[in-house]
Amino acid sequence: MKKNLIALMTVVSILASGAAVLADEIPAATIEPTADKIMNVPAQPDTPFEDRIQGDVMLISGDTPVDAPVSIPSYVSKTVTVTEIGDGRISTTVNAEDKENPENTINYTVTDDTIVLGYANGAVKDVKDIKAGDKITVYSNAYAPAPLILPPQYQADVIFVEDNLELDSLRFADVDTYLSDGETLVNAANTLALNIDKDTEIVDREGKKVEADKIANKDLAVVYMSSTKSIPAQTTPIKIVVLGDNETALKQIEAAKNEANATPAPTVTPEATTAPENTDVILKDVKSVKIGDKSIENIYFKEDQTLMVPLRSIAESLNFTVEWDGELKAVMLNSGIYSIKIGENAYVKGRMMPQQLSSAPEIKSDDLTYVPFEYFTEILEADATNSGNVVELKYSSTEAE
């Protein structure tokens, strides 16, 4: 399947979440600033990679432009609250009000190469300056491997610490590979373009000045105040920290461009886009799941009416590979691109944040693993349609190629 090949290529290169993947930054001018967004513009870490790869023009406009740029962000990011600082590790939570819940936990490893910056003006800080209770945004290279464990654990490449609460104007940040378009530098996510002027401070990791004409095709950490509503948004940055070269990202971007150029542009019609097939699926009367000619009837409803279905038989019928890890009580699909753990409502896809569904995976008396039906539509992104009391799962012709 095309979508699985894309995901597999990404995970092998990384892990081919960079989560994307993604400078996970929506231009500042496209949102309404609020107090809880003072750290950063809301990120898109949970956007499926194969959606992000189409380009933010599609995501923002809802249209399908013929010449949509290829966008493969080089970093994934998440805004979290620090719960504990350890030796080489920072434990965080995505919900400070429910920080004891392990499903909200994300652990980050820190090394001597981890850069800590402040939002106010990009001032260099130290990991030791971070303390429990701090709100931080962590950027991780999308092309770096991540262990298949829960809670999820990623490497912290750049950490932005909230230090701009007393400022009159908001500060925003972006970390990505920046490419030259001849006039400006545009990030790999195609969400931000830099107009550098004489007041922009540009330094390397050691704080040494770097000339503006030396930073194209490099990973940059950017601090800025405001941006235009264009696509990509344009800004004059306050400070740029040059992180260095990212050959893996450049090769991946070039390969994607070549593939896009070799693929005929889609025909754009003025007709309204039809609603996804899954919208009209009614599960309450379902008695079997059909994939092609195969009918699966060992399904059941929980007390809350969640439809639970056998994972292996359906996944393999959809051409996914399935592996069981008895020690971890976990199931991996497609060599770990997708993973679940029995009893934990945290469904992992690549380097994206684990997603909660209506129920955790269960093992029943038949020794089979069962997951909520929506695992196949929301995580594996199959199409679902009703026919009486039968629901059919399949991929569209373009996805199944």
Side-chain angles (χ1 to χ4, degrees):
M1 288 177 290
K2 186 175 180 180
K3 86 162 45 172
N4 293 335
L5 289 175
I6 293 175
L8 181 58
M9 176 186 71
T10 308
V11 173
V12 170
S13 298
I14 36 182
L15 150 47
S17 196
V21 156
L22 24 172
D24 300 305
E25 189 93 20
I26 296 174
T30 66
I31 65 165
E32 187 68 28
T34 60
D36 63 344
K37 295 183 177 65
I38 204 162
M39 276 286 296
N40 199 357
V41 181
Q44 315 170 28
D46 302 324
T47 304
F49 176 83
E50 49 266 50
D51 290 343
R52 288 194 309 266
I53 199 172
Q54 298 176 43
D56 292 294
V57 172
M58 295 183 186
L59 294 175
I60 294 172
S61 69
D63 297 326
T64 306
V66 174
D67 297 322
V70 173
S71 56
I72 309 180
S74 299
Y75 287 80
V76 292
S77 72
K78 194 70 177 177
T79 299
V80 292
T81 301
V82 177
T83 57
E84 184 180 352
I85 307 292
D87 185 17
R89 190 183 75 172
I90 299 177
S91 294
T92 70
T93 179
V94 296
N95 186 350
E97 296 180 357
D98 191 20
K99 63 182 180 181
E100 302 301 326
N101 188 342
E103 293 181 354
N104 294 328
T105 299
I106 308 174
N107 293 323
Y108 291 98
T109 58
V110 295
T111 68
D112 292 340
D113 292 328
T114 300
I115 295 180
V116 182
L117 302 170
Y119 267 92
N121 56 14
V124 178
K125 298 177 179 291
D126 193 282
V127 173
K128 297 178 181 178
D129 296 330
I130 301 173
K131 60 184 182 301
D134 282 350
K135 195 172 183 181
I136 61 176
T137 298
V138 186
Y139 287 83
S140 301
N141 190 327
Y143 299 96
L148 291 173
I149 60 176
L150 291 174
Q153 177 176 296
Y154 305 118
Q155 179 174 306
D157 292 294
V158 181
I159 300 175
F160 274 94
V161 180
E162 183 176 289
D163 65 347
N164 61 354
L165 293 178
E166 303 303 322
L167 298 178
D168 293 333
S169 58
L170 297 178
R171 298 290 192 274
F172 305 107
D174 180 49
V175 179
D176 205 349
T177 304
Y178 275 79
L179 311 171
S180 174
D181 68 353
E183 296 181 358
T184 59
L185 294 177
V186 181
N187 64 357
N190 195 50
T191 57
L192 192 66
L194 307 182
N195 296 314
I196 300 172
D197 69 9
K198 60 182 179 60
D199 295 324
T200 301
E201 181 184 3
I202 307 175
V203 298
D204 62 14
R205 288 172 171 268
E206 286 71 42
K208 298 178 181 178
K209 183 178 179 180
V210 178
E211 297 299 326
D213 60 355
K214 304 295 184 182
I215 65 175
N217 301 327
K218 295 184 182 295
D219 286 4
L220 308 178
V222 180
V223 177
Y224 62 99
M225 288 180 58
S226 61
S227 60
T228 66
K229 291 184 178 180
S230 58
I231 300 175
Q234 296 193 31
T235 188
T236 300
I238 299 171
K239 183 173 182 176
I240 298 173
V241 178
V242 183
L243 306 179
D245 297 318
N246 191 336
E247 293 299 328
T248 302
L250 294 176
K251 290 179 181 178
Q252 193 81 349
I253 293 168
E254 186 63 27
K257 286 182 178 179
N258 292 338
E259 181 179 353
N261 291 336
T263 304
T267 301
V268 180
T269 66
E271 298 178 2
T273 303
T274 57
E277 291 184 63
N278 297 336
T279 303
D280 300 325
V281 173
I282 301 174
L283 300 178
K284 65 178 182 178
D285 297 322
V286 168
K287 298 187 182 301
S288 65
V289 177
K290 184 179 179 182
I291 304 98
D293 296 330
K294 184 174 183 179
S295 180
I296 297 172
E297 299 181 356
N298 54 326
I299 65 178
Y300 64 94
F301 286 91
K302 300 185 67 172
E303 292 181 358
D304 62 1
Q305 296 306 303
T306 296
L307 175 60
M308 302 294 289
V309 297
L311 172 60
R312 180 181 290 274
S313 57
I314 295 180
E316 290 182 341
S317 297
L318 292 170
N319 293 326
F320 288 84
T321 61
V322 182
E323 301 173 46
W324 166 254
D325 188 319
E327 183 177 352
L328 294 177
K329 291 188 176 180
V331 181
M332 276 76 71
L333 278 66
N334 282 15
S335 302
I337 297 176
Y338 308 87
S339 64
I340 66 170
K341 192 171 183 180
I342 302 302
E344 295 190 6
N345 192 353
Y347 295 85
V348 177
K349 178 181 179 181
R351 287 178 58 85
M352 293 185 294
M353 295 304 304
Q355 182 175 339
Q356 292 188 352
L357 298 179
S358 54
S359 180
E362 301 177 343
I363 294 181
K364 302 299 287 183
S365 57
D366 56 6
D367 289 331
L368 297 180
T369 299
Y370 288 79
V371 296
F373 177 81
E374 70 259 35
Y375 178 74
F376 294 96
T377 57
E378 295 188 20
I379 306 298
L380 302 188
E381 301 180 57
D383 294 327
T385 53
N386 271 116
S387 178
N389 57 8
V390 176
V391 62
E392 182 177 1
L393 281 172
K394 63 181 180 179
Y395 284 103
S396 66
S397 59
T398 55
E399 291 170 330
E401 291 176 355

